[in-house]
Amino acid sequence: MVSRASVVSALLGIYALSFISSAFAYGLKYNYYDNECDDFEDIVARKVKKAFDKDFTIAAALLRLHFHDCAVRGCDASVLLNYPGSEMKALASQTLRGFEVIEEIKAAVERKCPGIVSCADILTAAARDATYIVGGPFWSNEYGRKDGLISIAGEAEAAPDSEESVSSLIQFYQSLGLTTLDLVILSGAHTIGRSSCAAFQHRLYNYSGTGRPDSSISPRYLNFLRRKCADPSQYAELDPTTPKKFDNTYYTNLQKNMGLLYTDQILKSDHRTARLVNSFASQPDSFPYLFASSMVRLGGVLGDAEEDGEIRLQCSRVNYRKSSKHY
């Protein structure tokens, strides 16, 4: 029988290669802004720290914003475009936050290096710095993304929600060029952040119309959530054990049937993902490294913007063109 430690050791070897070679695979560069805007990452780090000092929940929000951007049309800042019918206006996007932080960073970068840095690269850097500020890993980012010209609400609605099956999640990740391993690792971002009680209220009382709670929730955790979410407008931490610390407790919570969202807990019960959950639960030191590697891979999901994109002057709108149209 292969041990959990052996599984993690093998994964570390595989991801070491993908981490090193991803810049070449996707045509991005680690030193892309060294000559034209060498203060770019320092500006992002300062602005993220400023936002975090005001509201510690912004770290998880920036991570989530980056994921939702890359999940639709690749990492092209399409989620930041603000006009009727854009991704930002989709029902699935209504709980996204952090837009104002990205705009503040963009304004500061434009003052220093006008017309040089894309909003997509700002999102990528902000997600990394948000992870680091809560105790997560630091990694070197590749840059050179372009900002997309198209943003469609319907495409955002098609992204997975919190009730998807593992098969649907795996298929979605594969459509992005990511793996089942990436799915389990990136789900670990739920070691920080929170969810509105309304998003999982049905699991507590009337799961799938049965009139009973979801049987996959630990009875003790169920009682805790019912008390905490007596008012559905309140919020619950995705990791109730160490909610402000970036660690592997997300996985040990799943072993205890304490996954807040259905798409969290189901990772423990499906044979394609359960072994990975158990491995990360038992090997806490491997998770940060693998998370950094998966974030680099996520940031390498590129779409049509690389061919026909631009460097937006404001993240919420495309640059003016006489023939420009919104789609």
Side-chain angles (χ1 to χ4, degrees):
M1 180 178 293
V2 179
S3 70
R4 292 176 184 172
S6 297
V7 171
V8 171
S9 178
L11 295 178
L12 285 169
I14 293 170
Y15 262 56
L17 294 175
S18 67
F19 189 72
I20 293 169
S21 64
S22 57
F24 300 100
Y26 300 118
L28 305 176
K29 298 179 181 179
Y30 289 109
N31 59 348
Y32 189 85
Y33 294 116
D34 281 3
N35 295 326
E36 295 183 289
C37 194
D38 60 351
D39 289 340
F40 158 58
E41 290 194 304
D42 289 338
I43 294 171
V44 175
R46 288 196 299 269
K47 293 295 185 181
V48 170
K49 176 64 164 57
K50 177 182 175 183
F52 179 80
D53 287 344
K54 292 180 179 178
D55 175 12
F56 76 91
T57 69
I58 198 64
L62 290 172
L63 254 177
R64 186 166 178 246
L65 191 60
H66 175 55
F67 177 83
H68 277 257
D69 178 47
C70 297
V72 181
R73 293 188 167 271
C75 307
D76 66 347
S78 55
V79 74
L80 304 178
L81 288 173
N82 185 4
Y83 57 78
S86 70
E87 291 172 36
M88 184 189 290
K89 302 302 183 182
L91 181 62
S93 301
Q94 295 312 294
T95 56
L96 295 180
R97 298 189 300 121
F99 297 100
E100 72 289 346
V101 177
I102 301 302
E103 286 290 6
E104 185 175 342
I105 295 171
K106 177 62 173 174
V109 171
E110 283 297 306
R111 288 192 293 270
K112 180 71 175 181
C113 323
I116 300 297
V117 180
S118 69
C119 297
D121 279 347
I122 289 174
L123 264 177
T124 305
R128 187 269 314 277
D129 291 342
T131 302
Y132 184 69
I133 207 169
V134 292
F138 184 90
W139 59 89
S140 296
N141 269 323
E142 310 153 307
Y143 298 116
R145 297 164 188 81
K146 297 290 180 60
D147 296 325
L149 306 178
I150 300 173
S151 184
I152 303 172
E155 293 182 350
E157 301 290 10
D161 61 26
S162 61
E163 293 300 311
E164 300 286 343
S165 67
V166 169
S167 292
S168 294
L169 292 172
I170 289 174
Q171 289 171 8
F172 181 76
Y173 271 70
Q174 288 177 341
S175 75
L176 300 177
L178 302 176
T179 66
T180 301
L181 178 57
D182 292 310
L183 162 63
V184 178
I185 293 170
L186 292 176
S187 295
H190 286 179
T191 183
I192 57 172
R194 59 184 187 171
S195 171
S196 68
C197 291
F200 56 86
Q201 194 82 356
H202 63 291
R203 294 190 72 205
L204 309 184
Y205 298 100
N206 187 28
Y207 184 67
S208 295
T210 62
R212 298 187 297 274
D214 185 346
S215 60
S216 69
I217 304 177
S218 155
R220 184 176 178 182
Y221 187 45
L222 174 65
N223 290 334
F224 167 79
L225 289 175
R226 282 179 167 176
R227 292 194 304 272
K228 190 173 185 67
C229 294
D231 178 355
S233 67
Q234 296 302 305
Y235 291 85
E237 291 75 17
L238 290 160
D239 172 3
T241 309
T242 56
K244 296 183 180 181
K245 183 179 179 182
F246 193 98
D247 56 22
N248 75 322
T249 306
Y250 166 81
Y251 301 103
T252 58
N253 286 338
L254 298 187
Q255 291 181 319
K256 300 173 184 176
N257 292 331
M258 293 172 59
L260 185 66
L261 304 178
Y262 174 78
T263 44
D264 291 325
Q265 192 58 52
I266 199 173
L267 296 177
K268 177 60 179 69
S269 59
D270 190 283
H271 68 93
R272 291 165 292 184
T273 53
R275 185 177 65 165
L276 295 171
V277 168
N278 291 332
S279 294
F280 299 140
S282 64
Q283 300 288 321
D285 292 339
S286 68
F287 170 57
Y289 179 86
L290 292 172
F291 185 83
S293 298
S294 278
M295 286 296 290
V296 169
R297 287 164 59 82
L298 174 66
V301 177
L302 306 178
D304 294 338
E306 299 316 297
E307 296 293 331
D308 58 8
E310 63 182 8
I311 305 300
R312 284 186 219 140
L313 302 182
Q314 288 183 283
C315 291
S316 60
R317 57 190 299 177
V318 297
N319 297 338
Y320 175 75
R321 291 180 176 83
K322 288 184 179 180
S323 60
S324 65
K325 295 181 179 179
H326 288 157
Y327 295 85

